[in-house]
Amino acid sequence: MKKESYFKQFSESNSLRGHANEYLNSLNQKGLNQKTVYCQYYFLKRFIHWCENRKNLTLLNLELKDLEAYQLWLIQAKIGLKEETLQPKSVRLNLQTMKRFFKWCFQTGNLFENPAIRLDLGQSKPSQLKECLTEREMNHFLSFPDP
């Protein structure tokens, strides 16, 4: 299978772009749906752009605090044509992609430690209030002996 170049290469051996290209090609080799690979590319592109605009972070010097700063940026930033903040589900998808990428980098030996392993993604769905018990159900529940 032909390797694609999703990102223009930097000369650095540990550039995020180079590793992201390898990661996306590995997804292609696994036979993932092209839409899935494109979404992964799109989310990684956003992350790499953010890194390059901050401290020009490389794969080896990224830390958990950097990933948490990116998470906060995703929550607060006005993104897209409408200049709106991302929905919580979109933030979560971005972060899940990033976590998978760092896990792959760790598993392939490109990282000695995965900085994203302790990144908290938050709840998958906003918690919904459960239906309250009726007075009768509550009295029935309270009638049981206390062990």
Side-chain angles (χ1 to χ4, degrees):
M1 180 173 281
K2 180 186 168 204
K3 282 191 170 187
E4 293 198 37
S5 184
Y6 292 91
F7 297 100
K8 290 180 183 175
Q9 278 288 25
F10 276 177
S11 59
E12 300 173 23
S13 62
N14 283 314
S15 76
L16 285 166
R17 291 173 181 239
H19 291 290
N21 277 333
E22 290 177 32
Y23 171 68
L24 294 168
N25 279 311
S26 76
L27 297 180
N28 273 327
Q29 290 173 351
K30 289 180 182 177
L32 260 66
N33 180 307
Q34 287 303 303
K35 285 183 179 181
T36 302
V37 176
Y38 179 77
C39 285
Q40 302 273 314
Y41 159 74
Y42 184 76
F43 296 147
L44 283 172
K45 179 180 173 183
R46 179 177 288 153
F47 174 65
I48 290 169
H49 182 70
W50 181 86
C51 287
E52 290 172 352
N53 284 334
R54 297 307 178 280
K55 297 187 256 180
N56 200 14
L57 296 167
T58 66
L59 183 68
L60 297 179
N61 67 4
L62 271 163
E63 298 176 5
L64 177 61
K65 66 181 171 97
D66 300 312
L67 303 182
E68 290 170 338
Y70 177 67
Q71 181 178 24
L72 184 62
W73 178 83
L74 279 174
I75 292 167
Q76 296 175 343
K78 305 280 187 195
I79 297 174
L81 297 174
K82 295 182 180 180
E83 297 272 323
E84 296 177 342
T85 56
L86 292 176
Q87 295 293 317
K89 182 178 180 179
S90 295
V91 171
R92 190 171 176 80
L93 287 171
N94 274 266
L95 296 173
Q96 285 173 335
T97 296
M98 198 175 60
K99 281 189 82 136
R100 281 188 216 103
F101 169 65
F102 282 106
K103 181 179 179 181
W104 175 85
C105 287
F106 176 72
Q107 290 174 337
T108 56
N110 294 309
L111 281 175
F112 295 112
E113 185 179 340
N114 179 352
I117 201 162
R118 293 183 315 274
L119 184 65
D120 182 16
L121 300 181
Q123 294 180 342
S124 59
K125 291 187 210 176
S127 60
Q128 304 231 343
L129 292 175
K130 305 293 182 215
E131 190 175 310
C132 292
L133 296 174
T134 65
E135 185 177 347
R136 183 176 176 204
E137 291 169 328
M138 184 60 81
N139 286 332
H140 177 71
F141 175 73
L142 292 173
S143 70
F144 290 108
D146 185 15

